[in-house]
Amino acid sequence: MPVHSLKAIQLIPVSMEKAWDFFSSPANLQAITPPDFRFNIISLYHGNKMYPGQIIEYKVYPLLGIPVYWMTEITHVEEGRFFIDEQRFGPYSLWHHQHHFKIVDGHVEMTDIIHYKIPGWWAGELMHTLVIKKKLANIFAFRFRRVEELFGKIAGQEAKIDMK
């Protein structure tokens, strides 16, 4: 079964310090996740800022109100540049999510790169085609709009989400 990828890019009109402070705090993930996912951090000892080796546990309701347990590990952090989370337990057979930040024309360019694999052979791939791919695109489109609400818009910018 194939490994799929998603790349999303957004310019944010804030300082690197403000962007990094927001996105490197696990508590803020709920603010940029669609409400119908009912995203909830359930880990007791996850800390306030991301660090390598950090474990964060969530409960989400991605489809038909069915709860899903998800555990990620923050595997790499380079302050102000990037961090990487990898699923340890959850709905995917592979989930590797890179979060990159850099200054472009006085704004912060945030780039997400995700590699993921769906379990379940042909049935999983069918679910990817019919449901999962669209859900992921919708999550990042929601996040794009939410980040604009929180930090401001850049004239003419549209969501850039590429999926393969």
Side-chain angles (χ1 to χ4, degrees):
M1 297 292 100
V3 173
H4 301 283
S5 62
L6 177 151
K7 183 176 183 180
I9 300 172
Q10 183 170 10
L11 284 175
I12 309 169
V14 296
S15 68
M16 179 62 76
E17 180 180 33
K18 187 169 184 175
W20 184 260
D21 283 347
F22 182 84
F23 291 102
S24 67
S25 173
N28 290 328
L29 191 51
Q30 182 176 10
I32 58 172
T33 302
D36 61 320
F37 271 64
R38 295 167 39 201
F39 179 89
N40 187 28
I41 294 176
I42 60 172
S43 51
L44 301 176
Y45 309 112
H46 60 269
N48 296 324
K49 290 292 177 186
M50 293 186 180
Y51 58 87
Q54 181 181 36
I55 298 291
I56 308 168
E57 298 170 281
Y58 320 93
K59 187 177 282 186
V60 293
Y61 297 76
L63 189 61
L64 302 174
I66 300 168
V68 174
Y69 171 77
W70 194 333
M71 175 192 281
T72 59
E73 178 182 356
I74 304 302
T75 59
H76 299 81
V77 176
E78 191 169 319
E79 180 90 18
R81 292 198 53 226
F82 72 91
F83 62 90
I84 297 172
D85 67 85
E86 296 181 16
Q87 176 191 283
R88 293 295 172 241
F89 297 99
Y92 296 90
S93 53
L94 167 72
W95 180 270
H96 183 272
H97 185 175
Q98 304 171 50
H99 311 254
H100 296 271
F101 302 84
K102 67 180 180 180
I103 299 295
V104 173
D105 297 329
H107 305 296
V108 173
E109 180 183 85
M110 179 174 65
T111 302
D112 289 275
I113 301 169
I114 303 173
H115 291 88
Y116 64 99
K117 189 172 181 180
I118 310 299
W121 288 31
W122 65 268
E125 283 307 304
L126 181 61
M127 280 296 291
H128 180 260
T129 300
L130 297 176
V131 179
I132 297 168
K133 186 175 183 178
K134 183 177 179 180
K135 280 259 185 205
L136 285 173
N138 287 342
I139 288 168
F140 279 86
F142 175 88
R143 188 179 82 168
F144 183 92
R145 291 187 307 273
R146 187 70 180 115
V147 167
E148 284 188 333
E149 289 171 6
L150 291 168
F151 299 110
K153 295 181 179 187
I154 295 178
Q157 179 180 220
E158 293 185 24
K160 296 176 188 170
I161 303 167
D162 183 32
M163 299 185 79
K164 303 234 186 301

